[in-house]
Amino acid sequence: MGYGMDGLWARARRRLGRNRGARAGLVIVGTLAVAALLAPVLAPQPPGRMDLDRVLLPPGPGHPLGTDYFGRDMLSRLIYGARVSLTVGVVAQSLSATVGVTLGLVAGYCGGWTDLVIMRLVELMLCFPDLLLAVGLTVALGPGPYTLFLALGLVGWPGMARLVRGEALALRDREFLEAARATGTGPVRVLWGHLFPNCLSPVIIAVTGGMAACIMAEASLSFLGLGAQPPTPSWGSMLNLGRPYLHLAPHLVIFPGLAIALAVFGFNLLGDGLRDALDPRRSDFPG
Amino acid sequence: MTAYIVRRLALMVPLLVGVSLVTFTLLYLVPGDPVQSLVGERATPQMVESIRRELGLDLPLHLRYGRWLARTVRGDLGRSWATHRPVMVSLIDRFPITLKLSVLAFALSTLLGVTVGVATAVREEAGGDHLARWALLGGQSVPIIYLCLVFMYVFGVWLRLTPVSGLGDGSIRYFLLPAGALGLYTSVYKARMTRSAMLEVLRQDYIRTARAKGLSERVVIYRHALKNAMVTVVTVLGAGLSALLVGSVLTETVFGLPGIGKLQIDGVYARDFPVVMGCFLFQAVVLSFTNLAMDMAYAWANPRIRFD
């Protein structure tokens, strides 16, 4: 790394601004965040208000995206659904990033037995297909918002730990760490103050990609009835509960599905753009 | 090579024990009384107690796990609490359905993924735009459940070309939609990987040499570039297997195909622990073996790799 941190970030910002995909991703993610934060202001109706005289209405005046089987406004429910998806994503990713980064740094920096034990644990966790592990955890803890956070958080950490360990392993014998140790810096300070900042860019890229994966996983779990419980307006459970009306009112399925795809696409675009900006070596953009 | 395979097989044992231990502990943590939900409201306390003893639920965790492990190594996964069928029999019964779905989807996704990956890489290398890159990224953002429902609506409800869901008589017609959706879903990742591997290879000097000596573009792309790009692609096929497994669980659930995935999710709903446990173990075994097979395919594709 022949440049200082400032150089890296300034260059990253410049590259990110030039990247059309990243800009589009930022717009999508920003829109979703605004929708989630301002849901009570933006939603035309409370998401739970029923009107049994106006059920399964197709999109039209009054209800831009139609109504569901209880006559609830689809647009309002989708806006509130952004809250569920983003909250689950942010909380679960914070959890898995904290656990994964800590264990990865410790494993890579300490090596020896610590590394061996942590990495065997990581391999064990990676033996479970991710979503199915979350299903198992949901069965054990009972469905609910906290289970969702915990299940998706626990699913994400092994990948993060493996990634950070690799970075830490590559850096542990470098001179700047040697210098820090030589001047009497304690091990905790070396790990978090010196090693961690140098592993930051792959972590940021992984967290962005992880948000996309979390939103997808939340939708799948809620679709199976193991995630957010009704009447919470989660995109996944809307997809599931709209399923019986597929032939009568396909808009019950089409719009929540598009919402999930759009949110995931936004984070994917952003993650891809960040990878190009922060880690030019791994870019699949020639030139 | 033989030594390597033996070592990998030996390493699989502690991993599988670990998987079963984690799953067992998870299921042990389940709140509420599984027996009460099995027998319903009208059972007398004595009945509940005797069933609990019969199922071994009165024992502490380590004894229950020990009993379970001793039976499992003999190939007996216990009986379903709900139907009393041996779990092993259910797994064997349903395996052909999951296998048929997975093999069809895998074939479709590999064919589609590699073709699209090569085509987009060649186009981009010839000075095209990055449109394909965005399109593939967008494709990867569509959840499998949504893809299944869209397929159902378009081909089953709207065009009426195929049955909407279920297994019917088990003929191939009932597998077209699920395998199509699952194949399309898993093909996007393969297309992206093939595309970036091809772009990497097409930049190499030997490709320029091949072109310079006047070989036709077809020979350059397929014989020189694709063959080398496939080394990378074969490695990532392994990573795709886990996605295929998860995808098949969701696809079976949406389409009501009675495969292993549906068995597992139904077991989760009914809190039928022996069934859930058996399915988890089955998936872990399948995943371990396919990963080993993928690593061997990798060695076969890339003669530079040696295992000892």
Side-chain angles (χ1 to χ4, degrees):
Chain A
M1 226 174 269
Y3 38 78
M5 291 303 283
D6 287 346
L8 174 67
W9 293 118
R11 208 177 52 150
R13 212 169 23 242
R14 224 173 31 247
R15 290 181 65 119
L16 204 58
R18 266 210 310 265
N19 187 324
R20 259 189 306 161
R23 282 209 308 267
L26 213 54
V27 168
I28 296 175
V29 171
T31 311
L32 284 174
V34 169
L37 284 173
L38 300 180
V41 184
L42 291 174
Q45 279 186 16
R49 183 195 284 168
M50 302 185 200
D51 182 353
L52 294 178
D53 292 331
R54 303 167 66 80
V55 295
L56 302 177
L57 286 184
H63 299 284
L65 300 182
T67 59
D68 71 1
Y69 39 88
F70 286 141
R72 294 176 295 196
D73 182 49
M74 286 291 286
L75 177 63
S76 307
R77 290 181 68 71
L78 286 178
I79 291 176
Y80 273 88
R83 274 194 168 181
V84 180
S85 284
L86 288 187
T87 314
V88 171
V90 168
V91 177
Q93 277 304 301
S94 315
L95 189 66
S96 62
T98 311
V99 177
V101 168
T102 310
L103 289 180
L105 283 178
V106 170
Y109 185 71
C110 299
W113 274 102
T114 328
D115 185 31
L116 200 72
V117 171
I118 293 177
M119 288 326 283
R120 286 302 89 76
L121 193 63
V122 165
E123 270 165 36
L124 176 62
M125 297 296 283
L126 289 174
C127 249
F128 289 95
D130 43 11
L131 187 76
L132 298 180
L133 181 60
V135 166
L137 280 163
T138 318
V139 180
L141 304 171
Y146 295 104
T147 307
L148 213 47
F149 297 154
L150 197 66
L152 295 180
L154 284 180
V155 164
W157 74 262
M160 185 66 88
R162 199 159 63 166
L163 177 80
V164 173
R165 172 187 175 263
E167 295 289 318
L169 212 56
L171 292 173
R172 62 189 257 203
D173 295 323
R174 296 281 292 268
E175 292 85 352
F176 69 95
L177 290 180
E178 189 73 56
R181 279 191 296 264
T183 49
T185 316
V188 175
R189 189 75 198 275
V190 170
L191 271 190
W192 290 105
H194 297 264
L195 188 53
F196 176 59
N198 285 285
C199 306
L200 203 54
S201 32
V203 170
I204 292 175
I205 298 164
V207 165
T208 317
M211 281 293 292
C214 255
I215 291 174
M216 195 88 111
E218 186 274 330
S220 303
L221 279 179
S222 297
F223 180 81
L224 292 173
L226 301 171
Q229 299 297 303
T232 311
S234 143
W235 294 335
S237 63
M238 288 169 79
L239 211 52
N240 182 30
L241 298 173
R243 195 151 58 121
Y245 305 94
L246 192 62
H247 55 289
L248 269 177
H251 67 274
L252 255 54
V253 165
I254 292 172
F255 294 128
L258 284 180
I260 302 169
L262 192 69
V264 175
F265 189 41
F267 280 103
N268 275 340
L269 277 175
L270 193 59
D272 227 40
L274 280 170
R275 193 177 51 159
D276 286 345
L278 293 171
D279 191 0
R281 276 168 309 157
R282 283 185 214 158
S283 163
D284 60 11
F285 244 135
Chain B
M1 190 71 177
T2 320
Y4 172 75
I5 296 173
V6 170
R7 200 167 67 230
R8 283 285 301 261
L9 288 173
L11 271 176
M12 232 179 251
V13 175
L15 271 183
L16 288 177
V17 170
V19 166
S20 68
L21 199 58
V22 170
T23 322
F24 207 87
T25 316
L26 273 183
L27 295 177
Y28 192 77
L29 290 176
V30 170
D33 190 344
V35 176
Q36 199 71 55
S37 58
L38 274 178
V39 295
E41 296 294 320
R42 284 185 301 170
T44 61
Q46 288 89 337
M47 261 167 85
V48 171
E49 200 44 51
S50 79
I51 291 176
R52 183 171 294 137
R53 196 159 321 122
E54 193 187 311
L55 296 176
L57 293 179
D58 51 344
L59 300 171
L61 175 64
H62 63 277
L63 284 181
R64 280 175 63 190
Y65 181 72
R67 272 170 61 155
W68 180 85
L69 194 62
R71 271 196 289 109
T72 301
V73 293
R74 292 197 303 264
D76 175 10
L77 290 172
R79 283 166 183 274
S80 154
W81 289 352
T83 61
H84 289 282
R85 276 191 89 196
V87 174
M88 201 52 142
V89 174
S90 296
L91 284 174
I92 292 171
D93 269 4
R94 281 153 177 260
F95 182 57
I97 294 168
T98 303
L99 187 69
K100 203 163 163 185
L101 173 67
S102 308
V103 168
L104 281 173
F106 186 80
L108 176 69
S109 76
T110 307
L111 195 69
L112 201 65
V114 172
T115 314
V116 171
V118 170
T120 55
V122 168
R123 202 180 72 102
E124 185 158 328
E125 206 243 348
D129 47 40
H130 297 307
L131 203 67
R133 190 186 182 200
W134 309 143
L136 288 176
L137 204 58
Q140 208 172 26
S141 310
V142 179
I144 174 72
I145 40 178
Y146 188 47
L147 206 56
C148 287
L149 289 170
V150 168
F151 265 53
M152 244 179 180
Y153 184 68
V154 172
F155 296 105
V157 177
W158 196 25
L159 299 174
R160 294 182 185 280
L161 287 176
T162 53
V164 176
S165 69
L167 182 64
D169 54 3
S171 71
I172 194 86
R173 287 172 56 233
Y174 291 88
F175 283 90
L176 288 178
L177 285 191
L182 185 56
L184 188 61
Y185 173 72
T186 42
S187 73
V188 185
Y189 179 69
K190 290 177 188 173
R192 292 192 68 196
M193 288 302 145
T194 309
R195 181 181 156 281
S196 67
M198 277 297 278
L199 283 175
E200 185 71 41
V201 169
L202 285 172
R203 261 177 275 167
Q204 303 289 320
D205 287 343
Y206 63 83
I207 296 296
R208 199 171 44 197
T209 310
R211 282 188 175 135
K213 67 182 183 183
L215 291 181
S216 75
E217 193 61 17
R218 252 178 79 146
V219 174
V220 173
I221 299 294
Y222 290 102
R223 188 153 321 148
H224 293 243
L226 181 58
K227 237 176 151 178
N228 284 290
M230 282 317 280
V231 175
T232 320
V233 175
V234 167
T235 350
V236 299
L237 290 186
L241 285 171
S242 178
L244 186 70
L245 194 64
V246 171
S248 74
V249 172
L250 290 167
T251 308
E252 284 173 13
T253 311
V254 177
F255 281 100
L257 276 183
I260 306 262
K262 183 133 196 323
L263 182 72
Q264 182 175 24
I265 296 299
D266 287 344
V268 165
Y269 291 149
R271 305 167 118 219
D272 196 340
F273 298 164
V275 170
V276 176
M277 193 70 211
C279 290
F280 265 115
L281 203 64
F282 175 82
Q283 286 158 342
V285 170
V286 168
L287 213 55
S288 310
F289 275 100
T290 42
N291 275 335
L292 179 59
M294 279 300 152
D295 284 352
M296 283 156 60
Y298 182 52
W300 168 78
N302 187 354
R304 277 172 296 186
I305 298 283
R306 285 178 173 222
F307 285 118
D308 23 48

